[in-house]
Amino acid sequence: MLNLSNVNGLLSLNKQEIIDQNYIKENVIYNVKQILLSQNRGWIFEEIEGTSLVPNELINPEYTEDDYFKVDDKLSLKPETTALSYSYAHQLLHHSVRAPLCVYQASKSFRKEQDQATKHMRLKEFKQLEFQCIYSNSTKNDYQLSTIEPIANFVKNLLRLNTRIVLSDRLPSYSIKTIDIEVDNGEKWMEICSVSIRNDFDSNHLVLEIAFGLDRLLYNFTKSSSLNTVQNLLESK
């Protein structure tokens, strides 16, 4: 991952990293779909790619202007993908489909993160892969509880790093409960995925939000490959 601009928190990818990130993305999408379908064969999946600029009224009030980049009185760089996925889901549910519905997208988000070393992966421009999984609030299945372990196992197999499930120390007002999946990359335990139950879609539905940081996945995928190469060399001597 390359810092070509000498600005902290802005990383570019070389050709191999682009290939690896696309591989990771497609693996995550396939496995999350399979995990959800194992719980309910009725899930409908719709992929979108939202714009980087969004109207200011779509910015979640949990964020202040200290958190995101406001362009002018009308537009800002989006700090997360949720708002546009919600907008598309509302259109679908109003016109053509019924829940359970999953709208997902992989696109860039932007936040005013403090300058930190790359090993913390607190980037100002980063890629999120988020699944907004919308279902009736009368559903008896606890989707968070039934999917968190399969997702963690998938992450462990993909990255080949020790993985743990922890209760998040962040609980925004829209989240009933948030659980994080972290990996030990030799430098620190790093959050890779968060799985939340959200209550901010409408009065008839809950949302299982499965949110991955694609840059963090790539960073740890690369570190894992290096660690395993070193281990293989040591074992061959």
Side-chain angles (χ1 to χ4, degrees), residues 9-220:
L10 298 180
L11 296 179
S12 300
L13 306 184
N14 62 31
K15 177 62 175 179
Q16 184 59 55
E17 289 165 341
I18 294 171
I19 293 171
D20 289 344
Q21 191 171 77
N22 287 333
Y23 167 80
I24 292 167
K25 171 190 167 184
E26 294 305 319
N27 266 267
V28 171
I29 291 172
Y30 174 80
N31 279 275
V32 168
K33 285 182 177 181
Q34 294 306 306
I35 290 168
L36 288 171
L37 288 170
S38 72
Q39 300 293 317
N40 184 344
R41 300 302 299 180
W43 280 100
I44 297 171
F45 299 94
E46 292 283 344
E47 182 176 13
I48 66 168
E49 183 176 341
T51 57
S52 294
L53 288 169
V54 296
N56 291 331
E57 61 265 24
L58 291 183
I59 304 292
N60 191 299
E62 290 284 333
Y63 296 102
T64 72
E65 290 188 28
D66 292 330
D67 301 315
Y68 64 91
F69 297 94
K70 186 175 181 180
V71 176
D72 56 31
D73 291 339
K74 295 182 178 180
L75 297 172
S76 294
L77 289 171
K78 71 176 190 292
E80 61 180 6
T81 68
T82 310
L84 295 176
S85 291
Y86 272 20
S87 294
Y88 188 58
H90 278 295
Q91 291 183 35
L92 290 176
L93 291 171
H94 182 70
H95 291 103
S96 57
V97 303
R98 298 179 63 182
L101 166 68
C102 177
V103 175
Y104 66 95
Q105 62 171 306
S107 62
K108 288 187 176 182
S109 295
F110 308 83
R111 295 182 195 164
K112 294 180 179 178
E113 293 286 356
Q114 295 181 353
D115 290 351
Q116 296 187 33
T118 298
K119 68 179 182 180
H120 298 301
M121 291 302 289
R122 305 292 296 185
L123 304 181
K124 296 176 176 66
E125 177 179 332
F126 54 97
K127 288 182 180 177
Q128 291 178 294
L129 174 54
E130 294 194 335
F131 302 78
Q132 305 300 336
C133 311
I134 301 153
Y135 59 96
S136 170
N137 56 17
S138 63
T139 299
K140 293 182 180 180
N141 189 356
D142 185 338
Y143 279 113
Q144 186 183 51
L145 181 62
S146 60
T147 60
I148 189 69
E149 286 193 12
I151 295 171
N153 287 335
F154 159 68
V155 169
K156 182 178 181 179
N157 291 332
L158 175 69
L159 299 182
R160 294 178 293 171
L161 295 172
N162 289 332
T163 304
R164 69 183 184 186
I165 298 170
V166 297
L167 192 63
S168 178
D169 57 3
R170 299 171 288 103
L171 191 63
S173 61
Y174 54 75
S175 175
I176 298 173
K177 183 180 180 181
T178 296
I179 302 174
D180 293 334
I181 297 171
E182 300 178 344
V183 297
D184 180 5
N185 61 22
E187 295 174 331
K188 60 179 293 184
W189 282 98
M190 182 178 289
E191 178 190 331
I192 293 297
C193 174
S194 65
V195 181
S196 302
I197 299 294
R198 300 180 64 130
N199 59 4
D200 59 343
F201 183 74
D202 64 27
S203 60
N204 297 317
H205 297 91
L206 293 175
V207 178
L208 176 75
E209 178 183 70
I210 305 171
F212 288 89
L214 278 176
D215 301 282
R216 290 187 174 201
L217 281 168
L218 175 62
Y219 178 80
N220 287 282

